[in-house]
């Protein structure tokens, strides 16, 4: 409930400022809820007045009619909320509010699923702290919960896979993997890594069969959606080509300078760098390495899947991911894949990491909170190596810098006064997933 209220209250509801990727998905969902069809024009061929100049408009291969060019899940996810807004609340004019509320609620569900997955090995308080850090001190809040990006669905799908795998519910893990596929097709790599990895670790065929079968079912439904909307069986939706083909298509090759430059930008560019916005990840890496052997097989499989997915992502697309959002978006899948193993390994953190991690997370929280609540300071692709959104906000309004310091200090002091340093304590109880596996 806390995350749902927080995310709904801070979600981007201004049609002027939201990214055209996001607005296109909302427009497509609104038209389906309004007419029962995905077409953006009327019977006379006139485009709907809600279509913006920057809307990504594609066409159906069978009848040539214009449609919103986005991945299936981004459009489909907010159709129910758009239907409620029109048919129940009586809203006639297009609004991004239903889409924003959908993103907020789906991301709140994702953080809850992560908490439930972590609680299988951690105590309630430690699992909750890790979930709060994940949901409030990273771009999960400023991107996935702020507007309905494909990452809203991939974060939900991967956290759902984590929870279902921790419960040994492999069919459910496959369905959640399918949710991720509806958001970004190449999350297939993460889904496959979990299925194959868990089966290999346990020397059981059931996990990979169940995960594979149910995720393929979800993929077939995405293909059916694409056939209806775009006149093509390709489940890549409005992108027009299977993402697996982009690696050999020069128009989708990596950013200027090649793969290494793109990968460096993904990690450390001031505008979109994973380690710039979430430096706590770097602090946690030594603990993860030391605690690796103690992590459950599903969590380790997620790490493998996240790394492979990221390498492929860097290969097929530029690290910036466009503009009109605060933080990074292409690193969210790797972030969620790393989080369970990091949380399970924090008791292996050294003295220096234990001292620096709480204030660093407090600072991350302050920076992310300001960008999530107040839209602005967005960095464009051309300034990815020379600008940072938070710095731009502080330059425009120096009082926000003071506010960030006060927030970070307050969170850190609350941490110290609450005596939650046992977050780094060693596990003393047998993990629930291991107890169940021994009883099988």
């Amino acid at each position: 409930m806390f995350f749902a209220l927080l995310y709904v209250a801070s979600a981007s509801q201004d049609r002027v400022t939201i990214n055209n990727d996001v607005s296109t998905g909302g427009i497509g969902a609104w038209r389906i809820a309004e007419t029962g069809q995905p077409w953006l024009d009327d019977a006379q061929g006139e485009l709907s007045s809600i279509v913006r100049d920057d809307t990504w408009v594609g066409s159906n291969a069978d009848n040539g009619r214009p449609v919103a060019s986005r991945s299936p899940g981004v459009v489909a996810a907010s159709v129910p909320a758009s239907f409620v807004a029109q048919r129940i609340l009586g809203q006639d004019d297009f609004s991004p509010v239903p889409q924003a509320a959908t993103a907020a609620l789906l991301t709140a569900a994702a953080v809850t699923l992560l908490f439930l997955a972590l609680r299988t090995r951690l105590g309630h308080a430690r699992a909750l702290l890790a979930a709060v850090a994940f949901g409030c001190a990273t771009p999960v809040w400023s991107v996935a919960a702020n507007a309905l990006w494909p990452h809203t669905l991939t974060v939900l799908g991967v956290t759902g896979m984590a929870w279902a795998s921790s419960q040994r519910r492999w069919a459910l893990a496959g369905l959640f993997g399918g949710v991720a596929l509806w958001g970004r097709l190449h999350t297939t790599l993460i889904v496959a890594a979990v299925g194959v990895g868990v089966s290999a670790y346990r020397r059981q065929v059931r996990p990979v069969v169940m995960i594979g079968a149910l995720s393929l079912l979800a993929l077939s439904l995405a293909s059916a959606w694409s056939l209806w909307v775009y006149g093509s069986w390709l489940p890549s939706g409005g992108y027009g080509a299977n993402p697996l083909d982009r690696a050999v298509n020069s128009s989708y090759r990596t950013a200027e300078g090649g793969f290494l430059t793109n990968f460096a930008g993904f990690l450390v560019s001031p505008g979109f760098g994973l380690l710039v916005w979430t430096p706590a990840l770097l602090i946690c890496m030594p603990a993860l390495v030391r605690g690796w052997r103690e992590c459950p097989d599903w969590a380790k499989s997620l790490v493998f899947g996240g790394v492979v997915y990221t390498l492929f992502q860097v290969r097929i697309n530029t690290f910036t991911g466009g503009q009109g959002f605060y933080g990074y978006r292409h690193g969210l899948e790797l972030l969620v894949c790393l989080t369970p193993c990091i949380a399970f390994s924090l008791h292996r953190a050294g003295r220096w990491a234990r001292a620096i991690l709480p204030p660093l997370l407090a600072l991350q929280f302050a920076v992310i909170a300001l960008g999530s609540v107040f839209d602005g300071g967005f960095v464009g692709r051309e300034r990815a190596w020379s600008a940072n959104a938070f710095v731009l906000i502080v330059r425009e309004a120096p009082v926000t810098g003071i506010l960030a310091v006060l927030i970070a200090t307050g969170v850190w002091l609350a941490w110290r006064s609450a005596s939650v340093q046992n977050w780094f304590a060693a596990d003393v109880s047998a993990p629930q997933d291991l107890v169940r596996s021994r009883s099988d």
Side-chain angles (χ1 to χ4, degrees):
M1 183 60 71
F2 165 77
F3 285 104
L5 293 175
L6 176 69
Y7 290 161
V8 168
S10 61
S12 178
Q13 300 177 3
D14 185 352
R15 189 182 180 207
V16 175
T17 61
I18 57 177
N19 181 281
N20 63 328
D21 288 352
V22 173
S23 64
T24 298
I27 289 169
W30 189 268
R31 288 292 290 173
I32 291 174
E34 182 180 32
T35 67
Q37 298 291 336
W39 324 129
L40 299 181
D41 63 350
D42 57 23
Q44 288 72 43
E46 294 291 330
L47 277 178
S48 170
S49 60
I50 68 174
V51 177
R52 305 181 355 171
D53 291 338
D54 61 353
T55 299
W56 297 112
V57 178
S59 61
N60 183 283
D62 293 330
N63 57 29
R65 297 189 68 175
V67 293
S69 185
R70 297 299 289 150
S71 60
V74 172
V75 177
S78 60
V79 169
S82 298
F83 183 88
V84 169
Q86 296 174 40
R87 306 299 174 86
I88 298 178
L89 301 181
Q91 188 170 348
D92 295 326
D93 297 331
F94 170 75
S95 169
V97 173
Q99 187 192 35
T102 299
L105 294 177
L106 291 180
T107 308
V111 178
T112 302
L113 288 168
L114 176 67
F115 163 72
L116 295 175
L118 297 181
R119 199 175 60 174
T120 59
R121 286 192 161 232
L122 304 177
H124 183 92
R126 293 170 63 197
L128 182 60
L129 280 170
V132 169
F134 172 81
C136 294
T138 73
V140 167
W141 183 5
S142 61
V143 176
N146 190 256
L148 191 52
W149 292 91
H151 314 281
T152 305
L153 297 171
T154 59
V155 169
L156 175 63
V158 175
T159 55
M161 288 191 71
W163 169 72
S165 297
S166 72
Q167 303 297 314
R168 297 169 53 82
R169 299 181 180 179
W170 308 121
L172 196 55
L175 287 176
F176 274 114
V179 171
L181 296 179
W182 270 65
R184 306 202 88 194
L185 183 56
H186 47 299
T187 53
T188 303
L189 298 168
I190 299 175
V191 178
V194 174
V196 173
V198 170
S199 285
Y201 273 115
R202 303 190 180 203
R203 298 181 181 178
Q204 299 173 357
V205 71
R206 179 177 172 79
V208 68
V209 170
M210 296 301 295
I211 291 175
L214 273 297
S215 61
L216 284 175
L217 173 62
L219 186 63
S220 67
L221 294 176
S223 293
W225 174 280
S226 291
L227 182 65
W228 174 48
V229 178
Y230 305 106
S232 170
W233 281 104
L234 284 176
S236 52
Y239 289 100
N242 192 314
L244 298 178
D245 296 332
R246 297 184 185 182
V248 295
N249 186 333
S250 60
S251 65
Y252 287 102
R253 292 206 172 172
T254 54
E256 298 82 357
F259 178 86
L260 293 180
T261 299
N262 205 38
F263 188 62
F266 172 86
L267 291 176
V268 298
S269 68
F272 303 94
L274 176 75
L275 299 180
V276 172
W277 287 96
T278 47
L281 286 176
L282 190 60
I283 303 300
C284 293
M285 284 301 106
L288 188 152
V289 172
R290 287 192 288 266
W292 178 258
R293 295 183 61 184
E294 303 168 13
C295 292
D297 48 17
W298 58 265
K300 289 189 280 191
S301 298
L302 275 179
V303 173
F304 286 127
V307 170
V308 173
Y309 169 90
T310 298
L311 293 175
F312 186 77
Q313 172 62 54
V314 172
R315 181 70 182 87
I316 67 172
N317 211 333
T318 60
F319 68 88
T320 61
Q323 57 189 11
F325 54 92
Y326 185 84
Y328 57 78
R329 67 184 186 94
H330 281 169
L332 287 175
E333 288 76 20
L334 180 59
L335 173 72
V336 68
C337 286
L338 289 173
T339 297
C341 274
I342 289 176
F344 295 146
S345 302
L346 277 181
H347 64 281
R348 294 288 189 176
R351 180 179 301 177
W352 182 80
R354 296 183 185 211
I356 197 67
L357 190 59
L360 186 58
L361 284 175
L363 180 60
Q364 283 186 199
F365 170 80
V367 170
I368 294 297
L370 289 175
S372 300
V373 174
F374 305 107
D375 288 330
F378 301 135
V379 174
R381 174 179 176 181
E382 69 282 352
R383 302 178 66 189
W385 288 100
S386 61
N388 176 272
F390 175 70
V391 173
L392 292 178
I393 290 177
V394 173
R395 285 179 179 175
E396 293 177 2
V399 69
T400 57
I402 299 174
L403 183 59
V405 172
L406 292 176
I407 293 173
T409 303
V411 171
W412 184 32
L413 292 177
W415 171 287
R416 291 175 62 85
S417 63
S419 300
V420 291
Q421 296 299 324
N422 61 353
W423 193 27
F424 299 103
D427 297 321
V428 294
S429 59
Q432 295 178 25
D433 57 336
L434 292 185
V435 172
R436 281 193 297 271
S437 65
R438 289 169 184 166
S439 63
D440 289 345

